[in-house]
Every structure is written in C-alpha cells, then in structure tokens.
Amino acid sequence: MAALPVPLPPTKMAAVEKRRPAVAPAANFPDSGRTSVSQAAAAAESEEDFLRQVGVTEMLRAALLKVLEIRPEEPIAFLAHYFENMGLRSPTNGGAGEPPGQLLLQQQRLGRALWHLRLAHHSQRTAFNNNVSVAYECLSASGRKKKPGLDGRTYSELLKRVCRDGGAPEEVVAPLLRKIQCRDHEAVPLGIFRTGMLSCFVLLEFVARAGALFQLLEDPGQAVADRRVGQAVLDTLEGALSAGDMATAPTHYLEAGSRLGPDSLARALDRAASGRRPSVPMAREEFLEKAAALFIAKVKPVG
C-alpha cells in the first residue's frame, strides 16, 4: 500500500514558495516598446513638418548656401548679420501705418538691399548677380496698398546710397547718376537694376584706382600734380579705354584701365617732362573728375 504524502509544515511551504522563480508578464512589453518608438517617430516627424511649414528649414538652408557662396572670414558673425537683415523681405511687413512708418520701412529695405549688394565683389559675377537679385526682390516687396515692383525713385535713391557710401565725391559720380537714373514713377526691370548697380560699383573702384595713380604724380608738399603730367596720364588712360570692343559690360573699362602698363605711362611722363613751358598745377579733384568722365562716357544711358 502506497504511503500517503506527508504535508509540509507551513514554515517550509513558505520557503519553497520564495524559491520559485517569478514569471514576468511578457505580453505587454513588445506592445509598449512599439508604442514608444512610434510616438517618438511621430513627434520627430511632427517637429520636422513644423519647421518646414514655417519656413525655418528653407531659411537655414539659404543661410548655409550663402556662407558657402561668400566664404566669409568670420562665418558666425556673417550669419548673425544675415539673420539680422532678414526681417523685411515679406510683403506683409510693408504698406501699413502712416507715411512716417512707410518712410522708416523704406529706409530699412534700402539698408538691407545695400547689405546684400556688398556681400560679394562685382568681379565674382555669379555671387554678385545673385545678391543683386535678392536686393531687387527686397525692394520690390509690396504692401497692402502697393503693387509689387521697383519704381524709379527707390532705384535712384539706392544708386545715390551706393555712391555716397563708397566715398566718391558727389561731383564725380553725379554725371553717372544722371545717365542711369530712372523717373520716379517709372518701373525698373531687373536688367536695368543690375546694370545700374554694377556701373556704380565699377565707377567707385575706377575712381579709387585713379586716386592711387594721382598719388604717384602729386608733389607731396603741395598735394598737386604738374598739369602736363596729369593730362598726359589722362590721355594715355583714355587711349587704353578706347582700345578694343568693350561695349558688353562696365567691368571691361576697369580691366582696360588695369592694363595701363608702366611703359605707356613712362612714355607719357617723358613727353610731358620734355615741355619747356611752365605748367600750372592740377588738383586731385580735377584729376578724378576727368578720369571718371572717361569711364562715364562709355556707359550707355538708361532708356
């Protein structure tokens, strides 16, 4: 006869229960993991969509492309100025308020357009043209009471600001402005805007180089040059500008002036020094005006 099992005492029963491995409920773990991963992915996608919808993604992309295009020496400072000058591009920011507010808005847009125009030297043709297009778009932004487009008044004001900030004397640049300005209410297309801006920047550099040339001619004690010498240099410069076909772009006149070699200048100075008649002095202002006139004569008027 089989023996009946003897029941364990309560104390030993409790010890056996403690030694049994606990079985964790595994059914809920995979579901909770999938739920958290899907929620994180949805949140990331939602954040990315938000940045794209409000334009931040495109704005940052444009800023980084501009850094790569310009390659500034201080990229962080450049980005700070870039974002600082971004506030007035939207058409919804214009056209509101009283005339004083409109005047302030116009001055802010002119300042931002100037900032873009100075980002790249005009010799960097692609970058310069891109910046000209951005400046044109900035000035063409419309408000609630104004149709989009650039008028002659804004265009002419920007031309004056470029020349004034460039440090050229007013009497030197005035003839160029009269040639390339438009009427106040005349619509200015992008092509004319680009040519006008390029002409101003080239003239400023041309005048700067003429000023450096005059320093080589002037008497340090009197700050004037011998008129015969100054006129001989101007005649040689005019011959360099007239040589070849340079009707395609204003920068070609600057390149022609750069090709004014030391040999041609030396011959001109020798001819001037061989004169026996006494000569009157030529001031720096007169020399710059005559040099600028040589360049301006080659620029085609607007219209």
Side-chain angles (χ1 to χ4, degrees):
M1 183 174 181
L4 294 175
V6 179
L8 294 174
T11 55
K12 292 186 177 181
M13 181 71 73
V16 171
E17 290 295 334
K18 288 182 179 180
R19 289 196 295 269
R20 289 181 181 177
V23 179
N28 293 333
F29 180 76
D31 292 340
S32 62
R34 284 195 295 267
T35 301
S36 61
V37 171
S38 61
Q39 288 178 349
E45 183 177 357
S46 176
E47 293 172 353
E48 184 178 350
D49 290 341
F50 170 75
L51 294 175
R52 186 184 303 110
Q53 290 173 4
V54 298
V56 173
T57 302
E58 183 62 28
M59 178 184 66
L60 293 176
R61 178 178 179 274
L64 294 177
L65 288 177
K66 186 63 68 174
V67 171
L68 293 176
E69 179 183 79
I70 303 300
R71 299 185 182 275
E73 295 182 358
E74 299 181 1
I76 302 301
F78 173 85
L79 286 173
H81 287 293
Y82 179 86
F83 289 121
E84 183 180 355
N85 286 276
M86 287 199 64
L88 298 171
R89 189 167 183 173
S90 174
T92 59
N93 291 333
E98 297 298 326
Q102 295 178 3
L103 179 61
L104 176 61
L105 177 65
Q106 182 70 2
Q107 293 303 316
Q108 289 174 329
R109 283 178 172 166
L110 285 171
R112 184 170 180 269
L114 278 170
W115 184 81
H116 280 286
L117 290 172
R118 296 193 188 105
L119 284 178
H121 190 265
H122 59 78
S123 60
Q124 299 174 279
R125 187 60 55 84
T126 301
F128 181 80
N129 287 340
N130 290 340
N131 295 333
V132 168
S133 299
V134 174
Y136 182 84
E137 181 182 349
C138 172
L139 295 174
S140 300
S142 63
R144 294 182 304 201
K145 300 180 181 179
K146 183 181 177 182
K147 295 181 179 180
L150 178 63
D151 56 33
R153 181 178 182 180
T154 304
Y155 164 70
S156 299
E157 177 64 23
L158 184 59
L159 291 175
K160 294 177 183 177
R161 289 278 298 272
V162 169
C163 294
R164 184 183 65 199
D165 294 351
E170 183 177 353
E171 59 274 8
V172 172
V173 300
L176 175 67
L177 295 179
R178 287 194 293 268
K179 269 189 141 180
I180 62 177
Q181 282 179 344
C182 296
R183 299 181 183 90
D184 286 351
H185 301 289
E186 186 176 1
V188 180
L190 177 59
I192 290 180
F193 180 82
R194 181 185 296 111
T195 301
M197 295 302 126
L198 180 60
S199 298
C200 284
F201 280 108
V202 173
L203 175 63
L204 291 175
E205 186 169 348
F206 190 88
V207 171
R209 295 188 183 186
L213 181 59
F214 183 82
Q215 288 183 342
L216 301 176
L217 307 177
E218 68 179 346
D219 184 348
Q222 300 181 2
V224 294
D226 186 281
R227 179 170 296 274
R228 290 173 301 187
V229 174
Q231 190 59 51
V233 172
L234 291 172
D235 292 342
T236 306
L237 179 59
E238 182 178 12
L241 292 174
S242 301
D245 181 14
M246 298 178 293
T248 55
T251 52
H252 291 181
Y253 308 136
L254 190 62
E255 295 169 1
S258 300
R259 291 195 297 266
L260 195 63
D263 293 340
S264 58
L265 281 176
R267 289 193 296 268
L269 295 177
D270 288 341
R271 289 195 301 269
S274 61
R276 298 181 179 278
R277 294 177 300 175
S279 175
V280 295
M282 174 180 285
R284 174 186 177 87
E285 292 76 14
E286 180 183 357
F287 183 85
L288 293 182
E289 285 186 39
K290 290 185 174 182
L294 298 175
F295 168 83
I296 296 172
K298 303 292 182 180
V299 178
K300 293 182 178 180
V302 172

